[in-house]
Amino acid sequence: MGVSSSTNNDKAAEQAFIRSLGDRYPLGDAELRKWCWCYTALRHRSSPLSSADLSALAVWSVIYNNPGQLTSNYNALKERIDSAGKVSRALLIIEEHIFPNGLSSRIVGGLGLSVNNQKLPQQPTPFPKPTATNEEIYAWEYSYYAINSCISPEGISFELQDFLEGISSSCGRRGSRSSLSKLFNLASLSNDQGRKAADASELIDIAYRLTVATSYLLQIAKAKGGTDSNSEDWKSFVPSNGATGIQSMVKSLLNAAKRQRERAGSFGYSSYPAAGQYATSSSSSNTTNSNNTVYIEEFLEWAETTVPMMASSLSTFLHVLFNFFCQKNEGNTHRFPPGVTPLLMPALSIDLTDKKPTSSGSVSPLSYFFTEANTSADLFALASTSITLASGRFHRLFSSEADGLSCNRLMNGLIGYGGPTLIIIRSKDIKGKCGAGMFGAFTYSPWDQESGDFYGNSDSFLFRLGPDPMGVYRPKGEKSNFMFFNPEARSKGYDQLAWGIGFGGTAQEPRLYIDEILDGSTAKDKDLTFENGPLLSNKDESNSYCGFEVEAIEAFGVGSSQVIEDAMNARDEHRKEAQKRIRNAMKGAKAAFLEDMQSGLVGAKVFKHRDEMRGRDGGCDMEKEV
């Protein structure tokens, strides 16, 4: 039996209610209706698949449907129930193997839900039978997905207000600072004299594990036909404790907190424990050494300047959990709504254009630096620094491991590439000069020209990763010497400039310089283009200028798949044009030679040389047969 026309008044009341919510919360009408229903389901119903609060909320968000004549049918309902089973099993794996103890409960608290929310009585509604008609399914869904219980003459309940506000802020709709505050609260330990305090190691570890969990959810959501409950695919997503990349970020945060307290001085910050005593391992407990404590304003300032994309770690996880299992998988691509900037562990791929298989028929690993791509802490650290690095691919253009330690091959992989790039270097440990470490540069502008002049734009930065404190050095606005590409073949040694690739500094002495023959590469602590800070590890602090030896170097094209595809096409066109110029030059040289032959100029030169030889004492007869 269809839906009666007497329901028009109910629909009008519902629409007015949703519009009133839209004035208060930064969510669309469809989202508001969905969350009102999910809140009602949590309060009134027992989940058919899970009794745990976060899992139950995820299950209800997948089962939800906005009833309609074209969307209400048994197969669609069954598909949503099957998807709910997928998300429930995936979240169980995450809670057992990826999340620290208690994180799910803290996330639920941040959503404005009571951990043990007592269910209110409601008449159970049996699910339709497979033989039900679409009209019967529509009538059932209209009743099942009703939100009448949320609409009251007394107004919106405080509990529903808390829930909608929790969804808005936790899912990134209140801005990055609100998202960072939500993240901080997941690791918050105490209220120290009116200031929220948290353990730096636990805070960074939670953001890292949320991002790893998101990668696992994406793999399950995109898998066709669901996931085998006995599958052990999750094992490649188990994070490593005490990873160097995480500790590098922790050190950076503690150093930033220490500098803030030193600046604040007279305002009372100096009475708090000194920051900067680095942790040795990640912690999932709610106890901490006071020397690892940071306060919320210290964390906010550090995150917004060093790792701004960390604000999206929680919101990305929740968006994938609540939405990706109930979306149509069109072209195996899931989308984020406008305004949601995701933080994803970048996918690694490789440029096989110039690569030759090994004797075994395989190619080299995707990366020397990111051998465990699903859980790489260094990959997470880099993704946290920039929107471009956070939500796309790292497509390898060059690797010294596969292509040889050659700057010429590196330059060949870069020149003409029409998109953002990332260069990562590992330096050797040189006793008395610098230790082994990872550092490099990100540039948004294409490497589209060989030039003795700098080019590029301000969407670029230098960085340092572990083992020392992480550093991200962005442009400071004094100079615009962002990127430099000057091979010796272009200048032929006449311009007295550095030969190779450089960033910052001057064309004679770049801030970061990769020498064309790799025996004169250098790094400085400061210049007029990028913010000051060390690039090399354990360097002699008295010397701001130091040479380094390259142990390994890789270059990646970064960004979305479409950006990388377009950039690769641009490089192909650049190479075709270069080959065309070479062929034209060869044709020109050949034509000039033939013209000289026809004019007798070449012959005259040859015979003149022969005559000169004959005229010498003891000369030779070039026409004499031997």
Side-chain angles (χ1 to χ4, degrees):
M1 183 175 180
V3 178
S4 170
S5 60
S6 63
T7 61
N8 288 338
N9 290 337
D10 291 339
K11 288 184 177 180
E14 178 184 299
Q15 290 172 357
F17 175 70
I18 294 297
R19 282 197 299 270
S20 69
L21 294 179
D23 294 335
R24 304 177 60 175
Y25 304 102
L27 301 167
D29 289 355
E31 291 176 296
L32 287 167
R33 191 189 191 285
K34 169 182 176 177
W35 291 122
C36 285
W37 182 83
C38 289
Y39 175 79
T40 301
L42 285 170
R43 296 274 292 169
H44 293 276
R45 297 187 173 102
S46 296
S47 167
L49 296 166
S50 174
S51 59
D53 287 273
L54 185 59
S55 183
L57 183 57
V59 165
W60 289 126
S61 72
V62 173
I63 290 177
Y64 172 78
N65 183 43
N66 191 1
Q69 298 284 3
L70 299 178
T71 60
S72 297
N73 59 76
Y74 183 81
N75 288 336
L77 175 61
K78 185 178 183 301
E79 182 181 338
R80 293 196 300 275
I81 294 174
D82 291 342
S83 295
K86 281 176 61 176
V87 73
S88 180
R89 291 191 296 271
L91 192 55
L92 181 63
I93 292 292
I94 287 171
E95 290 175 336
E96 289 184 355
H97 301 289
I98 299 177
F99 276 1
N101 293 332
L103 180 56
S104 286
S105 297
R106 282 177 271 171
I107 292 173
V108 168
L111 292 172
L113 292 171
S114 171
V115 175
N116 294 311
N117 219 349
Q118 184 178 0
K119 302 291 186 296
L120 301 179
Q122 180 171 316
Q123 186 69 25
T125 305
F127 277 75
K129 296 180 179 180
T131 56
T133 65
N134 288 353
E135 188 178 61
E136 290 172 335
I137 296 289
Y138 176 42
W140 177 87
E141 287 193 342
Y142 188 87
S143 172
Y144 188 74
Y145 294 118
I147 61 170
N148 295 338
S149 60
C150 294
I151 305 173
S152 169
E154 287 78 22
I156 308 170
S157 68
F158 291 117
E159 292 82 1
L160 180 57
Q161 292 181 49
D162 289 344
F163 175 61
L164 293 177
E165 183 56 42
I167 287 289
S168 298
S169 53
S170 295
C171 293
R173 302 304 181 86
R174 293 291 190 191
S176 61
R177 176 157 283 227
S178 176
S179 298
L180 286 169
S181 297
K182 281 290 185 181
L183 177 63
F184 186 89
N185 290 341
L186 294 179
S188 187
L189 304 171
S190 63
N191 195 313
D192 191 347
Q193 299 184 33
R195 304 171 69 205
K196 289 183 179 179
D199 177 76
S201 296
E202 184 180 12
L203 181 54
I204 303 300
D205 186 58
I206 286 174
Y208 163 61
R209 289 172 183 268
L210 283 167
T211 305
V212 173
T214 301
S215 295
Y216 176 67
L217 283 178
L218 284 171
Q219 176 174 290
I220 300 302
K222 293 178 180 179
K224 293 184 178 180
T227 180
D228 182 356
S229 59
N230 296 319
S231 172
E232 295 187 345
D233 290 347
W234 56 267
K235 289 187 175 181
S236 65
F237 292 90
V238 177
S240 56
N241 291 320
T244 301
I246 298 300
Q247 293 309 309
S248 176
M249 298 178 80
V250 171
K251 295 174 186 179
S252 176
L253 172 55
L254 291 173
N255 279 352
K258 182 178 180 180
R259 289 192 296 269
Q260 288 185 55
R261 296 176 198 187
E262 290 172 348
R263 288 199 309 265
S266 60
F267 292 96
Y269 284 55
S270 58
S271 64
Y272 292 95
Q277 303 300 314
Y278 309 138
T280 57
S281 64
S282 298
S283 170
S284 60
S285 67
N286 280 338
T287 59
T288 183
N289 183 326
S290 62
N291 287 335
N292 272 349
T293 299
V294 293
Y295 301 99
I296 187 166
E297 63 273 14
E298 296 167 346
F299 170 69
L300 292 175
E301 181 178 315
W302 171 78
E304 289 173 341
T305 56
T306 304
V307 285
M309 290 307 300
M310 188 178 285
S312 296
S313 56
L314 175 60
S315 59
T316 304
F317 170 77
L318 292 177
H319 184 77
V320 172
L321 180 68
F322 294 148
N323 295 285
F324 274 37
F325 288 83
C326 53
Q327 290 180 348
K328 289 292 182 182
N329 194 357
E330 299 176 357
N332 205 32
T333 300
H334 293 80
R335 299 183 183 278
F336 288 85
V340 175
T341 305
L343 170 62
L344 302 174
M345 199 73 84
L348 299 180
S349 56
I350 185 172
D351 175 19
L352 295 175
T353 304
D354 303 318
K355 309 296 184 296
K356 294 182 179 180
T358 62
S359 58
S360 63
S362 63
V363 296
S364 63
L366 292 178
S367 174
Y368 169 86
F369 295 101
F370 312 123
T371 54
E372 302 293 336
N374 289 334
T375 59
S376 170
D378 290 321
L379 201 56
F380 165 71
L382 286 170
S384 300
T385 62
S386 165
I387 291 177
T388 304
L389 301 179
S391 55
R393 288 164 51 199
F394 281 21
H395 186 71
R396 198 186 81 192
L397 304 174
F398 170 84
S399 171
S400 58
E401 187 80 356
D403 304 311
L405 199 58
S406 166
C407 187
N408 285 330
R409 291 182 182 176
L410 167 64
M411 297 170 87
N412 182 63
L414 290 174
I415 190 64
Y417 183 80
T421 53
L422 182 76
I423 296 177
I424 308 175
I425 304 167
R426 181 182 292 280
S427 61
K428 293 181 179 180
D429 186 0
I430 305 176
K431 188 174 182 179
K433 289 188 175 181
C434 65
M438 287 174 58
F439 55 94
F442 165 76
T443 58
Y444 190 83
S445 298
W447 294 95
D448 56 7
Q449 58 182 299
E450 299 177 1
S451 173
D453 298 320
F454 282 91
Y455 55 99
N457 61 34
S458 59
D459 194 0
S460 58
F461 58 83
L462 306 178
F463 63 87
R464 178 176 75 167
L465 300 177
D468 289 310
M470 178 182 179
V472 179
Y473 313 120
R474 303 184 190 276
K476 55 186 179 182
E478 296 182 32
K479 289 285 186 179
S480 56
N481 294 351
F482 302 115
M483 50 197 290
F484 176 82
F485 193 101
N486 184 41
E488 181 183 4
R490 186 205 69 82
S491 66
K492 296 181 173 55
Y494 301 141
D495 54 15
Q496 302 300 310
L497 304 179
W499 299 334
I501 298 173
F503 308 89
T506 66
Q508 290 75 29
E509 293 185 358
R511 163 90 173 266
L512 172 58
Y513 172 49
I514 305 171
D515 181 67
E516 190 167 14
I517 55 176
L518 295 179
D519 66 349
S521 300
T522 56
K524 293 183 177 182
D525 290 353
K526 56 187 177 180
D527 74 307
L528 296 179
T529 298
F530 297 102
E531 294 169 330
N532 297 344
L535 291 168
L536 300 179
S537 174
N538 295 325
K539 185 181 64 62
D540 180 3
E541 297 296 334
S542 63
N543 183 11
S544 64
Y545 179 87
C546 185
F548 63 88
E549 293 184 21
V550 176
E551 179 177 305
I553 184 169
E554 288 185 342
F556 297 89
V558 295
S560 68
S561 295
Q562 187 61 56
V563 166
I564 290 174
E565 181 180 347
D566 292 343
M568 293 294 290
N569 289 337
R571 193 183 70 171
D572 290 343
E573 290 300 318
H574 183 276
R575 290 181 172 181
K576 289 178 183 178
E577 287 297 320
Q579 289 296 323
K580 183 177 179 180
R581 288 193 297 270
I582 292 173
R583 287 195 300 270
N584 289 340
M586 293 177 65
K587 288 179 181 178
K590 182 178 180 180
F593 179 78
L594 291 175
E595 184 179 345
D596 287 346
M597 287 287 291
Q598 293 172 353
S599 65
L601 181 61
V602 172
K605 290 180 178 178
V606 172
F607 295 129
K608 180 181 179 181
H609 176 70
R610 183 191 63 179
D611 293 340
E612 290 176 349
M613 292 292 294
R614 283 176 173 173
R616 293 181 183 176
D617 292 339
C620 62
D621 185 355
M622 296 182 66
E623 295 182 344
K624 183 177 180 181
E625 295 183 359
V626 179

